[in-house]
Amino acid sequence: MNKFKEMMKDSAFIRGSFFILFNAVLLYILYAIIKNIGWVTDTVFGGVEILIEAFWPLIIGLILAYLLNPLSELIDTKLVAKMIRLPSDPIKAERREGLRRLVSVLFTVILVIAAIIALIYGFTVLLIGKVVFNDLSALMDNFMAAVISYEETFRNWIATNIPEGMLSEKLGELATFVIGWMGDNISVSNVITTFTNIGGSVIDIVIGIIISIYLMKDKKFFLGLWRKFLHLTLPQKGNAVITETLSEINDVLSKFIRGALLDALIIAILSSIGLSIMGLEAAVFIGVFAGICNVIPYFGPIIGMVPAFLMGLFTEGFWEGAIAVIILFVIQQIDANLIYPKIVGSSTGLHPLMVLLAVSVFGYFGGILGMLLAVPIAGIIQIFVVKWATSKEKKLASTDTSKTQE
């Protein structure tokens, strides 16, 4: 007993005992985690999913505010600032500036929503003709009539251009399957059910839009809160590192967005010119639609070709639609191999080859969403790699300097 008391008085023995106990507990925890890895991952991902669902409107608001803020700033400085002048009194000027920001933000949101509605409406009219919003049944009837008309045109083309045989039978079966699937799945009741199911998502989007309006209007206030939070929670060096890193990430993301929009504008112009030269109806609208779809790598260009093919098919015939698809395909190949890597890669500091590899790799693991986020994520990864390499070089340089002095 006395010997045990003497051992407990030994600080080295106590530290060693606690070290052994701590490692034993840590190993047991690691063993329990590995043994129940399925339950642990399900619990973690389930908790993350719950948090994302709970804060989803806030996430939508942050994304919308980040995307729309440059346009809001442009409208504020170029348009609204000329309409609402700031008085000389500082207090009145501050209030007037808040009003000006609110007008700029509301004008931006209304402009973007109107552009989206106009695009959807124009695309709907392009496909099904007359659109009746006050009568859902009539709208569905028009849609089904347009589908049946497409099927008849497609069958007539098969009958006149493809000899009877296995290919014509397969194409006919495909047309029958498509029209049958649409008849079974697209109806007034199904549309109402679908809108009911997505009602929660619509509410989240509306709340997200409201949040984005507040974030853009009171941008300086929220940025000040963020700086105070970093100042209170981090040491000065950590605060500087976080601020610098976030600034570089913001630079990469903003340049990527500008590059992607510039690329979409170029494709929209080239597509409109090419389709107009061949004499396709609604060439400009279809070209703009192709440019917007081009933001989605790989699948976007295919989606953009659909209205071009349909317009050519049902106005002049199959070969007119095929020529429209060929024109868009050639433009998309030029973009995918020359324009997109050059514009987007140079705007984010990535080599064109790295852009192509990033889109391919992230598309393989993340699908369409991975393709959309491939370039900005690759740019962010490049930031951390460059910082790591720079820190290693500084350490090596300092080590060599100390050795030289010795």
Side-chain angles (χ1 to χ4, degrees), residues 93 102 116 130 144 189 193 201 211 230 236 240 248 271 288 352 358:
L102 178 61
I116 294 173
K130 185 178 179 181
M144 293 308 301
S189 59
T193 302
S201 300
I211 291 174
L230 291 180
Q236 185 175 1
E248 292 178 0
S271 301
V288 171

Side-chain angles (χ1 to χ4, degrees), residues 52-66:
I52 291 176
E53 290 180 358
F55 290 97
W56 188 239
L58 176 61
I59 295 172
I60 294 175
L62 289 170
I63 294 173
L64 290 177
Y66 186 82

Side-chain angles (χ1 to χ4, degrees), residues 45-217:
F45 284 115
V48 172
E49 185 177 356
I50 291 172
L51 289 175
I52 291 176
E53 290 180 358
F55 290 97
W56 188 239
L58 176 61
I59 295 172
I60 294 175
L62 289 170
I63 294 173
L64 290 177
Y66 186 82
L67 293 176
L68 298 181
N69 184 67
L71 179 59
S72 174
E73 295 284 351
L74 181 64
I75 292 175
D76 182 58
T77 54
K78 299 297 183 181
L79 179 62
V80 181
K82 298 178 181 179
M83 299 169 56
I84 303 177
R85 302 286 184 177
L86 297 180
S88 57
D89 187 354
I91 298 177
K92 292 182 179 179
E94 185 177 356
R95 295 176 181 174
R96 188 70 63 85
E97 185 179 4
L99 175 62
R100 197 180 79 181
R101 284 292 303 164
L102 178 61
V103 172
S104 302
V105 170
L106 291 177
F107 186 79
T108 302
V109 172
I110 292 172
L111 180 65
V112 172
I113 293 176
I116 294 173
I117 292 175
L119 183 65
I120 295 174
Y121 179 80
F123 185 66
T124 306
V125 172
L126 184 67
L127 289 180
I128 68 176
K130 185 178 179 181
V131 179
V132 183
F133 290 104
N134 57 357
D135 190 347
L136 186 59
S137 178
L139 178 63
M140 296 308 302
D141 290 340
N142 290 339
F143 177 78
M144 293 308 301
V147 172
I148 293 172
S149 175
Y150 293 158
E151 184 202 17
E152 291 178 354
T153 304
F154 188 60
R155 288 186 181 278
N156 291 334
W157 178 83
I158 293 174
T160 55
N161 294 275
I162 298 180
E164 292 186 3
M166 182 174 294
L167 180 59
S168 62
E169 291 179 0
K170 293 296 181 182
L171 291 175
E173 291 175 1
L174 176 62
T176 303
F177 170 77
V178 171
I179 193 67
W181 182 89
M182 289 185 173
D184 294 336
N185 294 276
I186 301 178
S187 62
V188 176
S189 59
N190 288 340
V191 171
I192 294 175
T193 302
T194 302
F195 276 103
T196 303
N197 292 333
I198 66 175
S201 300
V202 172
I203 294 174
D204 288 343
I205 293 173
V206 172
I207 297 175
I209 292 174
I210 296 173
I211 291 174
S212 68
I213 292 173
Y214 279 109
L215 290 174
M216 288 187 287
K217 175 184 175 295

Side-chain angles (χ1 to χ4, degrees), residues 95-381:
R95 295 176 181 174
R96 188 70 63 85
E97 185 179 4
L99 175 62
R100 197 180 79 181
R101 284 292 303 164
L102 178 61
V103 172
S104 302
V105 170
L106 291 177
F107 186 79
T108 302
V109 172
I110 292 172
L111 180 65
V112 172
I113 293 176
I116 294 173
I117 292 175
L119 183 65
I120 295 174
Y121 179 80
F123 185 66
T124 306
V125 172
L126 184 67
L127 289 180
I128 68 176
K130 185 178 179 181
V131 179
V132 183
F133 290 104
N134 57 357
D135 190 347
L136 186 59
S137 178
L139 178 63
M140 296 308 302
D141 290 340
N142 290 339
F143 177 78
M144 293 308 301
V147 172
I148 293 172
S149 175
Y150 293 158
E151 184 202 17
E152 291 178 354
T153 304
F154 188 60
R155 288 186 181 278
N156 291 334
W157 178 83
I158 293 174
T160 55
N161 294 275
I162 298 180
E164 292 186 3
M166 182 174 294
L167 180 59
S168 62
E169 291 179 0
K170 293 296 181 182
L171 291 175
E173 291 175 1
L174 176 62
T176 303
F177 170 77
V178 171
I179 193 67
W181 182 89
M182 289 185 173
D184 294 336
N185 294 276
I186 301 178
S187 62
V188 176
S189 59
N190 288 340
V191 171
I192 294 175
T193 302
T194 302
F195 276 103
T196 303
N197 292 333
I198 66 175
S201 300
V202 172
I203 294 174
D204 288 343
I205 293 173
V206 172
I207 297 175
I209 292 174
I210 296 173
I211 291 174
S212 68
I213 292 173
Y214 279 109
L215 290 174
M216 288 187 287
K217 175 184 175 295
D218 300 324
K219 175 184 174 182
K220 294 181 180 179
F221 171 75
F222 289 109
L223 287 177
L225 284 181
W226 173 251
R227 294 191 187 99
K228 290 180 181 178
F229 171 77
L230 291 180
H231 179 71
L232 293 173
T233 56
L234 295 175
Q236 185 175 1
K237 184 177 180 181
N239 188 356
V241 171
I242 293 294
T243 302
E244 181 184 1
T245 303
L246 291 178
S247 176
E248 292 178 0
I249 291 174
N250 174 65
D251 187 54
V252 168
L253 292 177
S254 59
K255 286 182 178 179
F256 166 74
I257 293 172
R258 289 197 295 267
L261 293 178
L262 178 60
D263 177 69
L265 177 62
I266 293 174
I267 296 304
I269 294 173
L270 293 178
S271 301
S272 300
I273 293 174
L275 296 176
S276 298
I277 291 175
M278 68 166 288
L280 187 70
E281 293 186 17
V284 176
F285 176 80
I286 296 175
V288 171
F289 181 77
I292 295 174
C293 292
N294 195 70
V295 176
I296 306 174
Y298 294 137
F299 289 99
I302 297 175
I303 297 173
M305 294 176 186
V306 173
F309 175 74
L310 293 177
M311 178 59 71
L313 177 64
F314 297 110
T315 54
E316 300 293 335
F318 175 81
W319 293 112
E320 190 78 5
I323 293 173
V325 169
I326 292 172
I327 291 174
L328 292 182
F329 179 78
V330 172
I331 294 173
Q332 297 297 342
Q333 291 302 308
I334 296 173
D335 173 68
N337 294 283
L338 296 176
I339 301 176
Y340 184 85
K342 188 66 178 176
I343 292 179
V344 180
S346 61
S347 64
T348 56
L350 292 172
H351 191 275
L353 179 61
M354 296 303 297
V355 174
L356 294 175
L357 289 176
V359 172
S360 300
V361 173
F362 282 92
Y364 176 80
F365 289 103
I368 297 178
L369 182 62
M371 293 178 185
L372 280 172
L373 302 177
V375 177
I377 291 177
I380 293 171
I381 292 173

